Every structure is written in C-alpha cells, then in structure tokens.
Amino acid sequence: MSKNLVIVESPAKAKTIEGYLGKDYKVVSSYGHVRDLPKGDKAIDIKNRFKPTYEVTPDKKEVIKNLKSLVKDAETVYLASDDDREGEAISWHLKEVLKLDDQHTKRIVFREITKNAITKAIENPRGIDYDLVNAQQARRILDRLVGFELSPILWKKIKTGLSAGRVQSVAVRLIVEREREIEAHKAKSSFRITAIFEVDGKSFQAELPKKFDTKAEAEEFLKNCLNATFSVGNLEKKPAKKSPAAPFTTSTLQQEASRKLYFSVAQTMSVAQKLYEAGKITYMRTDSTNLSQDALAAAKNAIENSFGPQYHKSRQYSTKSESAQEAHEAIRPTDFSKSQVSGDRNEQRLYELIWKRAIASQMADAELERTTITIDISNSPQHLVATGEIIKFDGFLKVYLEDTDDEPEDDEEGNKSLLPPLSIGQALSLREMKGKETFTRPAPRYTEASLVKKLEELGIGRPSTYAPTISTIQKRDYVVKESREGTSRNYVEMTISGGKFKEAQKTENTGAEKNKLFPTNMAMVVNDFLVEHFPNVIDFHFTAKVEKEFDEIAAGGQDWQDMIDAFYGKFHHSVEETEQVSRQEVNSSRLIGQHPTSGKNVYARLGRFGPLVQIGENEDEDKQFASLKKGQFIENVTMEDALELFKLPREVGFFEDKKMTAAVGRFGPYIRHDNAFYSLQKGQDPLAITEAEAIELIQAKREADANKHIKTFDENPEIQILNGRWGPYIKFGKNNFKIPKGKEAEQLTYTETVEIIEAQPDNGKKKGKFPAKKK
C-alpha cells in the first residue's frame, strides 16, 4: 500500500500525475466537488452571519466512502485540486469531510501537469488558503441567496419555473438591450465611390475618402469623371510594424477558438481541460498574460531552432484585468518544441492554436512598408486614394495572425492590395468607377465569444464563470443560439466605363446571422421586471463591484460575511417590496389593436407554452390563439403579423386517407398527421408548405426512425443500440454511452454492452439495474 495519497478532481488528471510519481504515491480522483449547499431554505442561516450548511452530494457518497478507506492507510494526504478558488474550496471540503488533520495533510498546487511541476509542488507544500475558500464561499452563498429569493418572485409574478441569477441576468440584459438597439436602428444610405485603374497591364483599386449622402451628388460626381483624366498626385511610403498579440487568457482563448475553429465557449473549455489533464498545456482558467522565465527560455529555443535568431524577441505582457494574478501564467504549451500533439481532431486543432499564439508572442515584429497614393482628377478638387502594403520581414506573421469580430465593409479587402510601381505625375487609365449605395449597420448581435469579451470588459464574472454563465442562459430558454436568414434589400449601383454612364437596381441579402445569440420573449419580460424592481442586482457597475469585493476577500482584505451582509439588507428589502406588486402590474400582455372584421381586441402576450397572439378577452369562450413565429417579439408584432398567424393551423392535404395540418407550436413549425408531429425543415414555411412537401417530410422522418434502431436485448429491453448524429451509441434508461473504437455496434453481445456501460464513469448518471446474469 502506498504511504502517500494524492487527491485530484478528475480521473484523467489522476492518471497523468500517477505516471510522474513513483510507487510510493497513489493518485485518486474526487470527481469534482464533493459537497454543496442542500436544496431548500435550511442551507444558509441568515440570522447567524450567513453560516452555510454543506452536505455530501448523493452521487459522491460512494466516492467519499472509498476515499475514507484510502486515507486510513496513508501516512500523508496531498490535496492537489486546481490552483484557483474553486480548487481551493474542493480541497477544503475534502479536508472537512475526510476529517484530515493538519499534521498529515498538505496542499499542493501547480499550473501545469509535468514531471518538473509535480515534483516542485510535492517539495513545496502549503496549507489551505482560507481567503480563497472564503471568496468561493461568498460567491456561492450570495448567488444562492439571489437565486433563492428572486426565482419565487418570478414564479408568482410572471410564470412558474423561471429562474434569475446575479451574473446570468446581467448577461441576458446585455443581449436584450442589444436586440432592442438593432430593432430601433433605422438604416441610412450613402454612396461609396470606388475606381479600378490600369497601369502596364496591372490593375489596382482606389476609393474616394468621403461618401455622398445622396444619389444626385454621387451621380453628378461620376458623370463629371466621364470627361476627366487621372494622374498620380502624390506618393507616400512609410515603414510600419505589426506586433503579436499576448498569449491566451481564458477569455481570449474562447474568443479566438470561436473565430478560427467555430467552437462554442463550452466546447473550448472542455477540449482545453483534456489538454491540461493530459499534461499538454498549462491551466486553462486564467486572466494573466504572464509567462514564466522557464517558458520564455523554452520559447526562445523553439523559435531560434525553427526560424532563426532574427525571429526571436522576448516580451512580457501586462495584464489588463485588475484581478489577474501575475504569479499565474497565460495558457501555453508545456513543451514549446511540440507544435503538434496526439489526441482527437479538436484537441489537435486547439493545441495548435495555443502553441501558435504563445510562440508568436515571443517573436519579432513584422516589418511592413505602407504606400499611400493620392490620385488627382483633372476637373475636380476631389482626390481618390489607393493604399497598399508589402511585408519586408514577416516576423511573427510566419506563425500566427489574430482574427477580429469586426465585420468588414463590402470590397474592403481590395484596399490593402499590392500596388504596381508608380511615380508622381504618371497618367492613369480608368477601367471603371462605381458609385454603390451602402447602408449604416446596427451594432452586431453577440456571439458567445463576443459576449465573453463584453462581460470581461465590464468586469463581470471571472475565467471560471464565463462558460457556465453562457450555458445557463441557453439552458433556461432566455437565449437561443442560432443562424437566421436575412432579407432582400434593393440598392442602386451607378457605373462609368468606356465613356458611358450606367445605372442599375440590384438586390442584396442583409441581416443574415450565423451562430448569434437572440433573446426570447421570456427574456425580455423577465429582464424588464428585474430592471424595474431590482435595478441593483442587474446593474453592470454594481455587478462588477461585487466581483471586486470577491477579489478583496481572496486577497484577505475583506470579511466575507460583512460583504454579504452589506448586500443582503438592501436586496431583501427589494424582495419584500416586490411581493406587494400585483400580477396585473407585471402583465406581459400588449394590445395590438382591433380585429378588422370582428372588432375584438387583439393582444400579444406570454402564454403557458410561449408567446402568442389572442383575439378576444381572457374570459371570452370563443377567444382564438396563435403562436408567434421564431424571431417575432411581443413588443413589436404588428396587426398584419397577427392576422397572418391566425391563418394557422391550416389544412395542407391528405396522406394515407388522413388529414395533414401545418401549425406553429412551442418547438417551432410542424406538420401533424395521424396524431404524430413532424418538425418542418429549415426554410420551410407552415403557411406555404405544399401537400407533396409535407408527404416527403413524413416519409423522410419515418425512414430516419427506422434506421435509428440497431439492436435490443431480451435480457433487458431498456438497453438499446441506436444510430445517432455522431454514429452508433448505447442508450440505457435516460443515459447514453459511447461505443469504444474497434467495436462494431451490430456485433455487440448483451454481456459486452453491459461491460461498456459499467466501464464508463458515472459523472452523476443514474444507471438502471441489470438483471442477474443467467447461469
């Protein structure tokens, strides 16, 4: 039996660390947090200075039982959970539950899982940092108090089952306010002038620096240019430099993985966790851009060996975040000599991104030459401008260039083209000049990554909270992440070419969105209620101030109970005042107008199964309902929209002698046939779908359902082998289990299937019971 017991959070981390420590060490996992506040109002004793009561969670009772038996045989217990507030709290909870004494218990921390880092940690143990524990406790208790008191208010005043949270409600507010900003935006048109010139068989683009407000002004300018000659009025060359971005923090990794790899925030953290636990990168929850001296030396070696000494430039970046702990490091590879690692495709792609960013941060600036050409127009005081740049020395660009969230204007990519050799006074030949009508754009909707960036800018949340916050607001149906098609818009394009003027009406698609965050109607109603009655709780500056107070507790500068007491008094008073508000005052119903035929009132409101329009009053027996379509909001749906919705449900036709009906329900548009429901495909309109299209939809769904089923077993019908989106899998009860590589789904026996289920970690899954094996 090993005399040293090391306890970490995850089995993968345990496996990697055990490989570095000798036979005197046994490394085991606690599978994350082992204790939490129980449900109900007995978890926090408000009158006794917010004293919490913790309970071992049901899924961890067996884990604790096993750990207790291992602790008995160990001389020393090393608590090796992550080096942050959550990790410190896990170590403290383990110490309390396992009744570990200080003499035989050591806390060890490391930011990377390498042999060197683990050995150093074992050699330099410390005790539990109770300031970090208290900061985590303060966050957990405050968030429980806010959720526990706010949610019942929402149930009484708006709808049962709703929830609110200190950070999630602020995130929802940002999305709601951005949506309203977009709805209120009135696009203003102007005319952009661009020209293409030819010199010695080569072409380049130039642009008029100003835009014309009206079509008449743009047309006059273009027609004037029909009789003009063009020449190079001025030519200016300037040296320029580009510097690399800092190595990744949690926030910048989430943003760049979203832009370059199209990962969600949760997916980025999941893949990064695997890389960290396998010892390939440093800890992935950090707001520091600092690199250790060892890392700087390793990066220098890798750069000089791969690219040459002229490509290296040592840099230390200052961290923007006030709360960042500079003793921590940015996210970087543990071995800079490895530009690629083993693992699944996503692990390889994310590792490569982290390696490139970290390496580039220690490379030389890119040296550029920027050229600006001013083009004179013989019969006008206006000038056209062409810009171009050439790379004299690529520096860090040899490895990496950071993306941005900014959406470029049309044809903007033409502005930085390579320019042909030119001289002042040189005559230029005009191929064509265009005046295109362009429109102002509203602020863009948030992506998951740009929302993280905004939360970080406002000082709301910390590296450990960004991903859970964004997942929570989607799970609770306050926000949906989806792509939406745009709408057609007409624009004018005027062209001069070959001595002739042409004008054309053209069409473009505008407003199309890809993987953006949209608020639901429920989000808007709940947000307005909270803004009116709990302005402090979802005030951006107040929420950021609370985060700073958590930081002060972590640094030992503030008592956690005093901090919660100062918050709770005002908050609880607001809860008591809001109890007096009647449900009618919070009515989400909006009168649209009177029905053109019946004269009855038409309302838009929240119903039991989502937003709807209603003809008549609530007490009317013959009132009519119709669900709103995706993207329609209670606050701006028009009478014209409502009348269209009342055309549903509509009869589409017959199939197998049974009626097919198109309608919109809680989960979107569908066809109903023989008491079965078939969701419409993307782009299909319930008001326009034909009988033939509906039959095709039903048959395709039946075929997919038939192909989904691979195998069941007489021994236990609850166990099924099914075809899923990502390939075959095992379904047992409500849980799904992966089929290991090399196993053919069709060939699996019952015994093999049970073994696969039992071999996979519980992760809180409640597995059903297997029947006794037949002798």
Side-chain angles (χ1 to χ4, degrees):
M1 177 60 70
S2 305
K3 61 181 181 179
N4 297 299
L5 180 68
V6 181
I7 306 176
V8 297
E9 296 103 321
S10 78
K13 190 173 168 183
K15 188 178 176 185
T16 308
I17 292 171
E18 197 159 53
Y20 295 133
L21 297 172
K23 62 181 187 310
D24 288 339
Y25 292 85
K26 181 171 181 61
V27 187
V28 293
S29 169
S30 70
Y31 295 90
H33 276 280
V34 293
R35 286 201 310 180
D36 198 6
L37 299 168
K39 290 180 180 176
D41 58 358
K42 300 288 187 283
I44 302 162
D45 188 347
I46 293 166
K47 291 177 182 175
N48 191 12
R49 300 264 294 153
F50 306 97
K51 185 182 176 185
T53 298
Y54 294 105
E55 285 181 3
V56 174
T57 50
D59 59 319
K60 295 297 163 64
K61 286 185 176 171
E62 193 64 31
V63 172
I64 292 298
K65 185 180 170 185
N66 293 337
L67 288 174
K68 279 182 175 175
S69 66
L70 292 168
V71 164
K72 283 178 190 173
D73 300 319
E75 288 179 17
T76 305
V77 177
Y78 291 91
L79 300 172
S81 47
D82 290 337
D83 184 15
D84 58 13
R85 294 173 200 173
E86 289 295 323
E88 206 68 26
I90 288 172
S91 282
W92 174 68
H93 283 299
L94 284 167
K95 185 171 181 282
E96 293 286 306
V97 174
L98 301 175
K99 296 183 170 53
L100 303 175
D101 61 58
D102 290 340
Q103 191 179 346
H104 298 100
T105 307
K106 298 175 193 270
R107 170 81 170 113
I108 57 169
V109 292
F110 38 83
R111 303 293 292 183
E112 59 185 82
I113 303 174
T114 59
K115 187 172 179 61
N116 187 36
I118 302 302
T119 305
K120 273 187 183 174
I122 295 280
E123 289 169 358
N124 298 282
R126 61 168 173 81
I128 300 278
D129 185 333
Y130 288 97
D131 291 328
L132 290 180
V133 173
N134 288 336
Q136 190 273 345
Q137 276 201 109
R139 178 188 291 280
R140 184 75 188 90
I141 290 167
L142 190 63
D143 288 350
R144 167 60 73 89
L145 288 169
V146 169
F148 194 76
E149 298 208 3
L150 266 190
S151 297
I153 289 282
L154 297 178
W155 298 359
K156 289 176 192 171
K157 310 300 176 186
I158 301 174
K159 188 186 175 190
T160 306
L162 294 176
S163 71
R166 191 181 52 81
V167 177
Q168 77 172 50
S169 297
V170 174
V172 170
R173 182 180 181 180
L174 284 168
I175 294 163
V176 166
E177 289 186 354
R178 177 58 56 86
E179 192 67 30
R180 284 176 173 156
E181 198 181 325
I182 291 166
E183 285 289 326
H185 177 76
K186 299 282 185 269
K188 188 184 173 195
S189 72
S190 59
F191 286 80
R192 178 177 175 231
I193 306 292
T194 58
I196 296 175
F197 292 98
E198 289 185 335
V199 177
D200 300 330
K202 293 179 180 176
S203 64
F204 67 94
Q205 182 174 299
E207 184 173 346
L208 195 70
K210 64 168 272 188
K211 287 184 177 181
F212 292 111
D213 291 334
T214 65
K215 175 178 175 287
E217 290 172 305
E219 186 175 336
E220 184 185 354
F221 175 81
L222 287 167
K223 285 180 175 175
N224 190 47
C225 286
L226 280 168
N227 305 312
T229 57
F230 303 88
S231 60
V232 177
N234 192 29
L235 194 152
E236 197 176 344
K237 290 186 178 181
K238 283 184 179 177
K241 283 186 178 181
K242 265 187 186 165
S243 297
F248 284 130
T249 61
T250 303
S251 161
T252 54
L253 176 64
Q254 289 168 346
Q255 290 165 50
E256 196 73 339
S258 172
R259 297 180 196 122
K260 279 188 157 73
L261 308 179
Y262 305 105
F263 283 7
S264 69
V265 166
Q267 185 182 11
T268 299
M269 294 313 289
S270 171
V271 176
Q273 179 98 25
K274 289 177 187 172
L275 290 171
Y276 167 66
E277 290 175 347
K280 293 167 185 172
I281 63 168
T282 53
Y283 192 49
M284 65 286 155
R285 292 189 185 93
T286 178
D287 44 15
S288 171
T289 52
N290 194 37
L291 291 177
S292 68
Q293 290 305 310
D294 288 348
L296 292 173
K300 181 185 177 189
N301 283 341
I303 292 163
E304 291 184 350
N305 289 339
S306 298
F307 310 112
Q310 72 275 24
Y311 277 90
H312 175 254
K313 181 180 179 181
S314 185
R315 305 167 191 266
Q316 276 289 23
Y317 295 84
S318 58
T319 303
K320 292 176 187 174
S321 170
E322 290 176 34
S323 65
Q325 299 173 60
E326 295 299 346
H328 291 167
E329 281 195 81
I331 302 166
R332 62 164 176 83
T334 55
D335 184 349
F336 277 96
S337 67
K338 292 180 179 175
S339 60
Q340 294 179 321
V341 292
S342 59
D344 66 32
R345 183 167 173 267
N346 284 343
E347 287 172 48
Q348 291 172 0
R349 291 168 74 209
L350 191 66
Y351 177 85
E352 189 180 350
L353 188 69
I354 292 165
W355 182 86
K356 283 181 175 179
R357 176 80 164 224
I359 277 282
S361 77
Q362 299 305 307
M363 290 177 76
D365 291 333
E367 294 172 14
L368 315 169
E369 183 181 79
R370 288 201 178 117
T371 305
T372 304
I373 296 169
T374 306
I375 299 167
D376 291 341
I377 305 169
S378 62
N379 59 1
S380 171
Q382 307 268 23
H383 300 280
L384 294 160
V385 175
T387 57
E389 68 181 31
I390 56 170
I391 297 170
K392 293 281 196 181
F393 172 64
D394 53 3
F396 77 94
L397 292 176
K398 200 171 193 75
V399 172
Y400 182 83
L401 179 62
E402 183 181 28
D403 280 0
T404 69
D405 288 317
D406 300 331
E407 296 174 11
E409 269 206 50
D410 303 335
D411 308 325
E412 203 174 79
E413 64 277 2
N415 291 354
K416 290 287 171 72
S417 56
L418 192 64
L419 296 171
L422 296 165
S423 57
I424 293 174
Q426 184 174 349
L428 300 172
S429 172
L430 177 70
R431 186 204 291 173
E432 71 169 24
M433 187 182 289
K434 281 184 182 177
K436 182 182 175 184
E437 186 177 15
T438 62
F439 299 87
T440 55
R441 295 176 180 175
R445 288 182 175 89
Y446 289 108
T447 61
E448 286 190 352
S450 63
L451 181 60
V452 167
K453 185 179 181 183
K454 185 67 177 176
L455 290 169
E456 186 182 40
E457 284 171 1
L458 292 170
I460 295 165
R462 289 295 177 261
S464 60
T465 64
Y466 299 136
T469 297
I470 286 169
S471 296
T472 299
I473 61 177
Q474 290 178 69
K475 278 179 194 164
R476 294 184 173 162
D477 293 329
Y478 286 133
V479 172
V480 290
K481 181 175 84 170
E482 60 189 17
S483 300
R484 291 188 184 173
E485 294 173 1
T487 53
S488 291
R489 176 171 66 191
N490 294 328
Y491 69 95
V492 174
E493 187 173 85
M494 298 172 284
T495 310
I496 60 167
S497 180
K500 291 181 181 175
F501 172 86
K502 279 192 245 173
E503 181 182 318
Q505 281 275 350
K506 295 193 172 183
T507 305
E508 64 185 359
N509 191 42
T510 182
E513 299 283 25
K514 186 174 182 184
N515 289 332
K516 294 290 182 73
L517 300 176
F518 295 85
T520 61
N521 278 279
M522 186 62 77
M524 291 182 155
V525 172
V526 169
N527 176 71
D528 292 350
F529 175 78
L530 293 176
V531 167
E532 183 179 351
H533 298 285
F534 298 92
N536 258 10
V537 175
I538 62 169
D539 176 77
F540 304 132
H541 302 297
F542 177 78
T543 309
K545 178 174 167 282
V546 169
E547 292 292 349
K548 282 185 180 174
E549 288 177 326
F550 290 148
D551 296 339
E552 285 168 20
I553 294 166
Q558 186 169 355
D559 180 86
W560 73 270
Q561 288 158 311
D562 289 345
M563 177 259 172
I564 291 181
D565 191 39
F567 169 89
Y568 184 73
K570 290 178 187 172
F571 169 68
H572 187 64
H573 179 66
S574 298
V575 171
E576 289 178 325
E577 281 190 335
T578 312
E579 286 277 9
Q580 310 309 314
V581 176
S582 70
R583 192 159 183 151
Q584 282 69 34
E585 290 178 65
V586 191
N587 196 351
S588 60
S589 173
R590 169 181 156 254
L591 176 64
I592 300 172
Q594 280 71 44
H595 193 277
T597 309
S598 68
K600 289 185 176 182
N601 285 339
V602 179
Y603 299 95
R605 68 177 183 85
L606 271 180
R608 188 178 168 195
F609 298 113
L612 52 83
V613 283
Q614 173 181 317
I615 299 173
E617 307 303 323
N618 287 336
E619 56 272 16
D620 291 354
E621 286 184 16
D622 60 345
K623 58 184 176 287
Q624 290 175 263
F625 305 104
S627 296
L628 295 193
K629 289 202 290 191
K630 186 167 72 176
Q632 291 182 322
F633 292 114
I634 289 169
E635 59 191 51
N636 56 23
V637 67
T638 64
M639 180 62 78
E640 187 182 352
D641 296 331
L643 295 176
E644 275 294 301
L645 293 169
F646 282 114
K647 291 178 182 176
L648 296 173
R650 75 177 250 273
E651 192 176 299
V652 176
F654 283 81
F655 177 49
E656 297 171 344
D657 296 327
K658 291 188 173 72
K659 189 165 64 176
M660 296 182 293
T661 307
V664 175
R666 189 180 178 188
F667 303 108
Y670 63 88
I671 294 289
R672 182 173 182 170
H673 173 258
D674 194 18
N675 286 327
F677 298 86
Y678 303 87
S679 294
L680 265 59
Q681 301 287 327
K682 189 178 177 183
Q684 287 184 321
D685 186 344
L687 290 165
I689 191 167
T690 64
E691 182 181 71
E693 288 170 335
I695 291 169
E696 190 181 328
L697 188 78
I698 292 166
Q699 289 175 330
K701 178 71 167 61
R702 286 178 180 177
E703 189 178 336
D705 287 347
N707 293 336
K708 184 179 181 181
H709 186 270
I710 297 174
K711 202 170 190 179
T712 53
F713 300 96
D714 292 338
E715 293 93 333
N716 190 343
E718 261 200 279
I719 298 179
Q720 302 174 70
I721 300 177
L722 304 173
N723 248 325
R725 188 178 173 190
W726 314 112
Y729 66 96
I730 298 166
K731 183 177 176 69
F732 180 29
K734 292 183 179 178
N735 298 315
N736 300 332
F737 299 88
K738 286 180 184 175
I739 295 174
K741 284 180 182 174
K743 297 273 188 186
E744 290 293 328
E746 294 83 356
Q747 307 302 321
L748 284 175
T749 65
Y750 175 70
T751 305
E752 287 174 318
T753 308
V754 170
E755 284 169 359
I756 291 169
I757 293 170
E758 290 183 327
Q760 292 188 26
D762 283 12
N763 294 331
K765 292 177 180 175
K766 289 183 181 175
K767 298 176 183 173
K769 291 187 178 178
F770 301 109
K773 290 180 182 175
K774 294 174 184 176
K775 291 183 182 179

